[in-house]
Amino acid sequence: MAKAKSAYVCNDCGADYSKWQGQCSACNAWNTLTEVRLSSAKSTGARGARFEGYTGSTNATQVQDLSEVNLADMPRFASGSGEMDRVLGGGLVPGSAILIGGHPGAGKSTLLLQTMCHLAQQMPALYVTGEESLQQVALRASRLGLNSQNLKMLSETSVEQICTTAQQLKPKVLVVDSIQVMHVEDVQSAPGSVSQVREAAAYLTRFAKQTGTVLFLVGHVTKDGSLAGPKVLEHMIDCSLQLEGDSDGRFRTLRSHKNRFGAVNELGVFAMLEQGLKEVKNPSSIFLSRGDQPSPGSLVMVVWEGTRPLLVEVQALVDQSHMNNPRRVAVGLEHNRLAMLLAVLHRHGGLQTGDQDVFVNVVGGVKVLETSADLALLLSVVSSFRDRALPQDLIVFGEVGLSGEIRPVPNGQERIREAAKHGFRRAIVPKANAPKQSPEGMEVVGVSRLSEALEAL
């Protein structure tokens, strides 16, 4: 009997090696190599399509001009959820592979079950569950009040059996929940291992491309929030979505980290209710639930998420520190950027916070990734330090440089119009973003230095 061959694959980047080593030479990560057993030549030969790539193309193709490619062959169709369609770039594309990740309890299965129950009334749909029994899924659908007619269900973990059943039913949409429990017969390792996840995802993705089926894959995440499994999993799929939100929170955010059919970092907001996840068409309204009385350290800023502006509240608390090293805590913002901005405030704003604890929080659990929140963050810190509340009709955005200059941000005019729509009457913005004619009933103050912004308060 021939000895089974094995290789070692990095969990982070997917690089493979013939023998184990402590550090991956490709991504420099430590202790990320795991053993993968290679299938024999006989078994792989029986499934020769394994080496055809992820596109599923097995026939000889002809060279075409890019202008001659017919886009009508891949028409989008709506998923039934406007927020999901926004994140996906306008709807579902036939033959696309979509990966949805999130922490346990975030609502991945609930969101997909709602979507599938809606699509099943218009087209063939198949929901494959490998973690739950059919009775558990039916119980959830009954609790949410969903129309479960016409939705085909299958409880299976064998990838080959799933594809065989799908070839018979010919669904337009296929959900596999989850990819970590699926297994391929030819791979001699446990479900959830690097090799099983990689081969199962490649097998299902190839099937979706060949048949024009929309494929949803549910993925688990690790402790740090990254997707569990090999890095190559994110390369072979078309869209990578992340459903975020605390299990005890009311709202969930759906964000795209990779999208071959639309904008990246698009954001969709859902509210978790007794009837399931309901889309929030005006996310700014839910993040602006402020009290009637103005409080020091509270300020509203305009951030840009994907293709639309979003109004969120940032809160700062500055208090006397009783430790040798004052604390710097940022929730929803980058911790290193907070430390840098406090240094700019000291040098160019004349405000010393070296002996103060500084806590900054973005209300609603929103994660702000862009630099347009710099100016609003500093002004909220100044407001808390001076114990002086800012007007509730004030809006602020702008990037702050290390020399104290206020840099312009993209889509400044759209941000100002969104703020005026929600009743804000005063805005402090970068001078380059200030419009020639302010919106009716709104005063726009353009500033070019941090000192000018502090004087405008």
Side-chain angles (χ1 to χ4, degrees):
M1 182 176 179
K3 183 179 178 181
K5 295 183 179 181
S6 62
Y8 294 88
V9 179
C10 176
N11 292 335
D12 289 354
C13 66
D16 59 278
Y17 303 89
S18 59
K19 61 181 181 179
W20 186 88
Q21 57 189 50
Q23 185 184 29
C24 175
S25 304
C27 63
N28 296 326
W30 287 91
N31 299 324
T32 58
L33 267 63
T34 55
E35 184 178 5
V36 176
R37 292 191 178 183
L38 303 178
S39 51
S40 62
K42 181 177 179 181
S43 60
T44 54
R47 295 190 308 126
R50 176 184 293 253
F51 300 101
E52 296 296 336
Y54 303 137
T55 63
S57 177
T58 57
N59 299 325
T61 56
Q62 297 180 350
V63 177
Q64 284 183 286
D65 289 339
L66 183 60
S67 59
E68 297 177 356
V69 178
N70 187 10
L71 298 180
D73 295 338
M74 300 180 65
R76 292 180 183 263
F77 58 90
S79 65
S81 172
E83 290 296 297
M84 178 178 283
D85 290 340
R86 172 190 291 272
V87 175
L88 292 173
L92 301 173
V93 178
S96 60
I98 304 168
L99 179 65
I100 296 184
H103 289 282
K108 304 181 296 295
S109 300
T110 300
L111 178 61
L112 289 178
L113 183 60
Q114 293 178 196
T115 302
M116 293 296 283
C117 287
H118 172 80
L119 293 175
Q121 313 307 317
Q122 309 169 12
M123 61 189 68
L126 175 61
Y127 191 107
V128 180
T129 172
E131 297 182 343
E132 299 176 290
S133 65
L134 297 182
Q135 290 78 9
Q136 289 175 316
V137 179
L139 184 62
R140 184 192 301 121
S142 176
R143 185 178 70 251
L144 300 178
L146 302 176
N147 184 4
S148 57
Q149 294 182 354
N150 302 327
L151 177 59
K152 304 299 182 183
M153 298 294 302
L154 175 64
S155 180
E156 183 61 63
T157 58
S158 173
V159 173
E160 291 86 352
Q161 186 60 39
I162 292 172
C163 293
T164 301
T165 305
Q167 286 177 346
Q168 298 172 356
L169 298 178
K170 293 181 171 55
K172 293 293 184 65
V173 186
L174 172 64
V175 169
V176 176
D177 186 4
S178 67
I179 189 61
Q180 271 76 17
V181 300
M182 298 297 152
H183 69 276
V184 179
E185 295 180 358
D186 290 342
V187 179
Q188 303 298 321
S189 59
S193 62
V194 173
S195 55
Q196 282 286 7
V197 171
R198 180 182 58 189
E199 294 299 330
Y203 200 108
L204 292 169
T205 301
R206 190 177 302 109
F207 172 81
K209 301 291 185 182
Q210 291 175 345
T211 59
T213 305
V214 177
L215 174 65
F216 282 99
L217 298 176
V218 178
H220 296 169
V221 295
T222 58
K223 294 180 180 179
D224 59 355
S226 60
L227 190 68
K231 197 67 176 179
V232 70
L233 176 61
E234 299 183 44
H235 291 289
M236 68 177 70
I237 50 97
D238 298 312
C239 302
S240 178
L241 310 181
Q242 190 83 4
L243 189 62
E244 302 170 343
D246 298 331
S247 58
D248 57 347
R250 181 185 176 189
F251 299 104
R252 303 288 189 270
T253 57
L254 184 67
R255 187 188 300 271
S256 65
H257 296 286
K258 172 188 177 181
N259 192 354
R260 290 173 176 165
F261 310 113
V264 182
N265 284 331
E266 187 66 77
L267 183 72
V269 182
F270 296 87
M272 179 64 80
L273 306 176
E274 294 181 357
Q275 297 79 22
L277 288 170
K278 301 297 180 182
E279 57 182 338
V280 179
K281 297 184 179 180
N282 186 13
S284 297
S285 61
I286 67 174
F287 298 123
L288 293 180
S289 55
R290 310 173 75 187
D292 297 333
Q293 297 295 330
S295 58
S298 176
L299 185 60
V300 176
M301 58 184 178
V302 189
V303 297
W304 195 264
E305 292 289 348
T307 59
R308 65 180 173 185
L310 184 65
L311 275 68
V312 295
E313 178 185 357
V314 59
Q315 294 179 336
L317 175 61
V318 181
D319 192 21
Q320 183 71 32
S321 179
H322 299 284
M323 298 183 294
N324 294 330
N325 296 320
R327 299 189 63 188
R328 303 286 187 261
V329 179
V331 179
L333 294 162
E334 188 180 356
H335 179 270
N336 293 332
R337 193 159 190 86
L338 171 62
M340 182 189 72
L341 292 175
L342 292 178
V344 175
L345 181 62
H346 177 216
R347 174 62 64 89
H348 302 284
L351 189 62
Q352 170 64 272
T353 59
D355 58 347
Q356 305 286 322
D357 289 332
V358 180
F359 304 89
V360 180
N361 175 47
V362 180
V363 178
V366 180
K367 289 184 175 61
V368 179
L369 305 177
E370 64 169 354
T371 57
S372 64
D374 292 353
L375 185 57
L377 188 152
L378 287 183
L379 296 187
S380 65
V381 169
V382 173
S383 171
S384 177
F385 182 80
R386 295 176 176 174
D387 197 20
R388 190 177 68 183
L390 298 175
Q392 287 196 316
D393 60 351
L394 173 66
I395 197 82
V396 177
F397 64 85
E399 179 182 353
V400 179
L402 290 178
S403 60
E405 79 278 12
I406 308 299
R407 297 176 177 271
V409 298
N411 308 107
Q413 307 294 326
E414 290 82 355
R415 298 175 196 246
I416 295 175
R417 285 196 292 266
E418 179 72 12
K421 188 193 309 181
H422 285 81
F424 289 88
R425 294 292 174 259
R426 191 162 182 262
I428 299 178
V429 302
K431 195 169 186 179
N433 288 130
K436 295 181 179 179
Q437 183 176 2
S438 301
E440 184 178 356
M442 188 176 192
E443 177 190 2
V444 179
V445 180
V447 294
S448 58
R449 303 287 302 176
L450 179 58
S451 57
E452 297 177 11
L454 296 178
E455 294 174 359
L457 290 179

